[in-house]
């Protein structure tokens, strides 16, 4: 084998190795692209794990969000469920009454356009989308009043769309809940 032959052989091996690496890097790019596309399509076509729908035009007629069922209710297990609706430009009830140191489930929806419920000083922040029920867990360790502005622009009255959450002692809440029915602090 001459020096020239040896040189050609080495060059051929180098070229083959380079091609192999080039093929591998293209394969990686293609794989990642396919994964991203598949994941994106899957997300776009699959519903969330849990979606509750509701007819926004019939909220006041029957079902869970009928006016007489809005407000706070003490459940047999000691937790509290709050049901509320948002509409241009108020929340019903406008003042939500809840006990401190209690697991609370907020269930809310919108009667017209998209609104948002945000309770200042807490991590409660959820959108109210017509046609869907928003559910969020909350718990208050301190009694007192919390402001609850609408946090989603919902047309010209948005700035004035405010509610309030009043957190009272657990025992006081239990006392008020004795008569059954739905509690709120509207007019207090
Ligand atoms: Cu309702 Cu902004």
């Amino acid at each position: 084998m001459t020096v020239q032959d040896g040189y050609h052989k080495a060059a051929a091996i180098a070229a083959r190795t380079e091609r192999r690496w080039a093929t591998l890097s293209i394969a990686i790019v293609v794989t990642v692209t396919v994964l991203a596309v598949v994941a994106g399509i899957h997300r776009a076509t699959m519903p969330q794990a849990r979606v509750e729908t509701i007819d926004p035009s019939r909220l006041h007629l029957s079902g869970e969000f009928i006016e007489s069922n809005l407000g706070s209710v003490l459940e047999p297990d000691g937790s509290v469920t709050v049901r509320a609706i948002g509409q241009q430009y108020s929340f019903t009830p406008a003042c939500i009454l809840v006990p401190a140191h209690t697991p609370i489930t907020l269930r809310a929806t919108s009667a017209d356009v998209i609104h948002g419920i945000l309770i200042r000083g807490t991590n409660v922040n959820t959108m109210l989308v017509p046609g869907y029920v928003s559910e969020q867990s909350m718990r208050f360790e301190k009694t007192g009043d919390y402001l609850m502005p609408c946090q989603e622009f919902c047309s010209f009255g948005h700035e004035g769309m405010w509610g309030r959450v009043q957190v009272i002692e657990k025992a006081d809440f239990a006392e008020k809940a004795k008569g059954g029915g739905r509690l709120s602090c509207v007019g207090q």
Side-chain angles (χ1 to χ4, degrees):
M1 195 164 78
T2 63
V3 173
Q4 200 107 44
D5 283 344
Y7 172 75
H8 282 307
K9 213 172 172 193
I13 292 171
R16 214 185 311 141
T17 310
E18 216 164 291
R19 251 196 319 266
R20 212 175 288 153
W21 280 110
T23 311
L24 182 64
S25 42
I26 290 170
I28 291 172
V29 169
V30 169
T31 308
V32 170
T33 308
V34 168
L35 282 178
V37 168
V38 169
I41 291 172
H42 184 78
R43 260 236 195 119
T45 52
M46 290 292 159
Q48 290 173 38
R50 186 166 157 278
V51 173
E52 278 184 78
T53 56
I54 193 159
D55 182 354
S57 65
R58 302 184 59 81
L59 292 182
H60 58 295
L61 299 178
S62 65
E64 183 180 353
F65 292 92
I66 193 166
E67 190 157 8
S68 58
N69 199 38
L70 298 178
S72 310
V73 60
L74 186 58
E75 303 289 359
D77 67 358
S79 70
V80 166
T81 304
V82 178
R83 292 185 179 85
I85 60 173
Q87 65 266 300
Q88 287 169 322
Y89 296 99
S90 63
F91 293 106
T92 307
C95 183
I96 291 173
L97 186 72
V98 290
H101 316 296
T102 305
I104 299 162
T105 304
L106 171 68
R107 289 176 57 76
T109 188
S110 165
D112 40 41
V113 301
I114 294 177
H115 301 277
I117 278 191
L118 178 147
I119 303 177
R120 285 254 176 102
T122 72
N123 62 0
V124 177
N125 185 346
T126 185
M127 273 168 81
L128 306 184
V129 182
Y132 296 89
V133 178
S134 301
E135 188 175 297
Q136 184 159 14
S137 300
M138 53 191 195
R139 188 185 171 96
F140 296 88
E141 301 305 336
K142 277 199 312 203
T143 58
D145 279 23
Y146 295 74
L147 289 173
M148 187 179 76
C150 176
Q151 44 70 307
E152 209 63 55
F153 183 76
C154 52
S155 192
F156 63 84
H158 165 71
E159 297 294 327
M161 186 168 170
W162 286 80
R164 197 157 57 92
V165 176
Q166 195 175 93
V167 183
I168 62 173
E169 292 296 346
K170 206 170 174 163
D172 296 341
F173 187 90
E175 188 62 35
K176 284 178 191 278
K178 262 186 186 159
R182 306 293 178 252
L183 299 176
S184 82
C185 42
V186 173
Q188 284 173 30

